[in-house]
Amino acid sequence: MSETELRGEQDYVARLYARLDALQDEAQQQLIRVRRENTGGTHQSRTERDAFARIYEDRIVQLREVNERLAFGRLELDAEDDDGQSRRYIGRLGLRDSDLTPLLLDWRVPQASAFYQATAAHPLGTRARRHLISKGRSIVRVEDEIFDAKLLLDGGAELQGEGALLSALTAERTGRMNDIVATIQAEQDRIIRSELQGVLVVQGGPGTGKTAVALHRAAYLLYSHRDRLRNSGVLIVGPSRSFLHYIESVLPSLGETGVVLASVGQLFPGLDATREDEPEIAAVKGSGDMAELIARAVKSRQKIPFDAVDLDVSGDTVTLDPHIIASAVNRAQQTRKPHNEARVVFVKSALSQLTKLWAAQLRSQGNSVDESDHDMLREDLRSSHDVRVALNTAWLPLTPEKLVQDLFARPQWLAELTPNWSASKRALLRRERDAPFTISDVPLLDEAAELLGEYDVVDAAERREEKQQHKRDVENAKRAIENMGVRGLVNAEDLAAGFAEGVDRGTTAERAAGDRSWTYGHIVVDEAQELSPMQWRVLLRRCPLRSFTVVGDIAQGASASAVSTWRQALWALVGSDPEGQRWRLEELTVNYRTPSQISAAAERMAIAHGLPVTPSTAVRESEWPIRVTDTLADAVSHDRAISTAGTLAVIVPAAQLVSAYTELVAAYGSAVGAGVDGLDRPVAVLTPQDAKGLEFDAVVVVDPTGILRETARGAGALYVAMTRPTQRLTLVCTDPLPDGILTT
């Protein structure tokens, strides 16, 4: 390309960065002014100032995050648009100059869609598309696609415009996922921009960009439906902490920082479970039967005694008849409140009946007792040790943690609750009370919390008052925005987040992550084929509107809960739905990550083992053939010799082997990390589950036959392992290779 043309693009991009810097400076000055403002002594004034300061701080962070590759595309239009422009520059966010003339279009606006969807057959009102390839703030190359034969850019030949995509695909990996906003393809863009309502399932084989599509869809929805999603937020659920670590920088780079990221082990506030149960245990805990078991366990904590009990109350004996407890239990259950909240009604009813009983008893003994004495008698009853023991025995307040711990640690109680279970099935759940919670326990805790309600009723009342106060804060924020003259720049809900008495409410994302009862406006679920029915119940409670983007590949299912169809997977979310009216399916068919020779071998293996593979077409072939060796030293040394940069994953059959293989690889002179905590090292030793959703320049699969044998879904685990590399795959195997890998 001519120096003149390249310099012209550089000058324009420099103008964009100058505007970005000016906006950052403007937000910084606004922040300084707000902090210096003399607000007077009222709490409301101080909180308004602090809330405005936080808004500007967030704006500064947002502008800084989009600094890299700010503009990445340009469209040549076949006619001037409404702003009198025949060119549109596309980038990470929208920019206008001081006269409000558009300088850069946010990639999510409808006018930018042609950048991703236009073709020579359907140019969508454009004559050409240009990709801007940058390093830092400098444009180093452009790639042009010309749709109008009459148009000639730069006096050169018509270009295909594939360089930007192939450059991104072959770039060395860093252990973190990069956004694909500059290279989104047409089939991906159509899915990203699809409607918000209902359940969207995105099915695609390895390397088809499912995760990237899901994250960019989250950014698109937050931009296009901001009024709906600003206050409720978006939850993104991934299979592991390693996956969250891998994707965590993508959304900030797209200008979105208010999304909650959680692994399936983090869906219960205050718990970060990382330990996996054995597959047969996980299968029991994940089944829908567990919801009924938890419900029976809660109900069994509401007991009516068989016999009357004599209670010592201030030296008097008061007889507690079973019918008093039965009446109080019935009244509490009729409220249909959760266990702990209904207990308040139970205690109040039982004490009321006991007060009347004791008062009548005192009168029969010749004492003068009238209605004014009942409050004193009730308080004596409430403070009596015997009464407290009797009422707690009948209706004990419980935490979710204690309920689940007791359920697993008390085999006799579990047997009473599961008369139709086999002894061997019950034995799978047996464990000590102090055993750490596992990932499979998270939905059980959440189910229990739903049925138990708040343990501390006082705290629950305070939270209800906080919600009412927040409504009042929003009204105050609206008035403050008018007074400050910043209407349209600041949202009242965001501003009201800082109006709290003595506490920091935090951002929407922070408040949502810590509140089990929070309901999100939309949920994105990656590797969704792995979720159990109980895990789906958790997510349904988090989004009763059933607005979901569900991403996965049925063939990659490797967990005990993995299913063979999406209809089975979504049962807990949409029911039987035989006509598919509550959900829609989109498929990704192009493999951008995995070289063709590797994807073909992985697909042959998967088909040979009966996996429902979604066929895909790889866009490129690597220069390295698949290697097979019988020694780990040869595999690791070979791959590190080819390239000292990039990332290498050594995938082993089981978690108990990770430490040993980490030591082995380290002995070969490599900087190696173990498990999910080692992903920042050049070499990481992982299980197939750890590697799910990730990608590496090179992958060494240790004992593929052992991976097949490790679980009932071993073929899915091996399929995952084989499809992680972007360049090279080596199989370390002393046994015959699994069927299908080698061509006949």
Side-chain angles (χ1 to χ4, degrees), residues 120-139:
H122 302 283
L124 302 179
T126 66
R127 305 179 70 195
R129 169 171 52 218
R130 169 168 286 181
H131 295 269
L132 307 176
I133 294 90
S134 60
K135 183 176 182 180
R137 292 190 169 194
S138 300
I139 301 298

Side-chain angles (χ1 to χ4, degrees), residues 202-335:
V202 183
Q203 160 74 33
T208 54
K210 299 184 298 297
T211 298
V213 166
L215 295 176
H216 287 70
R217 175 164 167 76
Y220 172 78
L221 294 176
L222 281 163
Y223 180 89
S224 302
H225 302 273
R226 188 151 315 262
D227 288 343
R228 170 174 166 179
L229 298 178
R230 177 191 288 116
N231 303 324
S232 57
V234 171
L235 171 66
I236 296 180
V237 179
S240 63
R241 286 195 296 123
S242 60
F243 176 83
L244 299 182
H245 176 78
Y246 177 62
I247 69 170
E248 64 185 359
S249 63
V250 173
L251 284 166
S253 75
L254 298 173
E256 297 296 347
T257 57
V259 175
V260 177
L261 300 179
S263 69
V264 290
Q266 296 171 322
L267 292 176
F268 188 77
L271 180 64
D272 184 3
T274 58
R275 180 169 166 264
E276 295 273 4
D277 280 307
E278 292 298 322
E280 60 270 22
I281 299 174
V284 173
K285 291 182 179 179
S287 71
D289 293 342
M290 291 301 293
E292 298 177 8
L293 174 56
I294 296 295
R296 290 196 298 272
V298 172
K299 190 71 175 293
S300 73
R301 299 293 83 185
Q302 303 163 10
K303 298 179 178 179
I304 300 172
F306 292 107
D307 302 313
V309 180
D310 289 336
L311 308 174
D312 182 356
V313 183
S314 301
D316 286 343
T317 299
V318 179
T319 300
L320 177 61
D321 195 89
H323 82 268
I324 293 178
I325 296 297
S327 174
V329 166
N330 183 60
R331 181 168 298 182
Q333 290 176 344
Q334 286 179 346
T335 67

Side-chain angles (χ1 to χ4, degrees), residues 440-487:
S440 300
D441 292 331
V442 169
L444 308 185
L445 291 167
D446 195 76
E447 192 79 26
E450 187 73 10
L451 297 174
L452 292 173
E454 297 286 348
Y455 180 75
D456 191 325
V457 178
V458 174
D459 285 351
E462 290 178 352
R463 273 187 281 276
R464 285 193 294 271
E465 171 55 29
E466 283 183 2
K467 290 181 179 179
Q468 292 300 317
Q469 180 62 45
H470 184 64
K471 292 181 180 178
R472 295 189 287 270
D473 289 344
V474 171
E475 294 302 317
N476 291 335
K478 290 177 180 177
R479 289 191 289 271
I481 289 171
E482 293 294 335
N483 294 337
M484 292 283 288
V486 291
R487 186 177 182 182

Side-chain angles (χ1 to χ4, degrees), residues 242 658-659 662 672-680 683-687 690 694:
S242 60
V658 169
S659 295
T662 300
V672 60
V676 297
D677 296 324
L679 288 173
D680 289 329
V683 182
V685 179
L686 306 164
T687 65
D690 292 334
L694 311 185

Side-chain angles (χ1 to χ4, degrees), residues 71-221:
F72 50 76
R74 190 187 87 183
L75 288 173
E76 292 285 334
L77 308 181
D78 57 15
E80 291 186 351
D81 61 17
D82 294 339
D83 296 304
Q85 297 180 332
S86 59
R87 287 180 175 176
R88 292 176 182 162
Y89 280 83
I90 315 298
R92 296 177 177 277
L93 83 172
L95 290 177
R96 292 175 179 266
D97 63 18
S98 56
D99 296 325
L100 300 183
T101 301
L103 299 175
L104 183 67
L105 289 183
D106 190 299
W107 67 276
R108 293 167 287 193
V109 301
Q111 298 93 318
S113 62
F115 181 74
Y116 302 108
Q117 298 178 12
T119 64
H122 302 283
L124 302 179
T126 66
R127 305 179 70 195
R129 169 171 52 218
R130 169 168 286 181
H131 295 269
L132 307 176
I133 294 90
S134 60
K135 183 176 182 180
R137 292 190 169 194
S138 300
I139 301 298
V140 296
R141 194 174 80 254
V142 301
E143 292 281 342
D144 288 327
E145 294 172 90
I146 299 175
F147 307 137
D148 184 349
K150 299 178 181 178
L151 180 67
L152 197 62
L153 295 179
D154 191 38
E158 185 173 324
L159 302 176
Q160 297 302 311
E162 295 178 350
L165 175 61
L166 292 177
S167 176
L169 296 179
T170 57
E172 289 181 337
R173 270 42 187 176
T174 64
R176 296 293 184 98
M177 184 179 185
N178 295 318
D179 64 72
I180 61 165
V181 66
T183 57
I184 292 171
Q185 301 302 293
E187 77 168 358
Q188 296 173 327
D189 188 67
R190 178 174 52 79
I191 295 171
I192 289 169
R193 296 175 189 269
S194 61
E195 63 182 16
L196 172 64
Q197 289 77 17
V199 178
L200 170 65
V201 178
V202 183
Q203 160 74 33
T208 54
K210 299 184 298 297
T211 298
V213 166
L215 295 176
H216 287 70
R217 175 164 167 76
Y220 172 78
L221 294 176

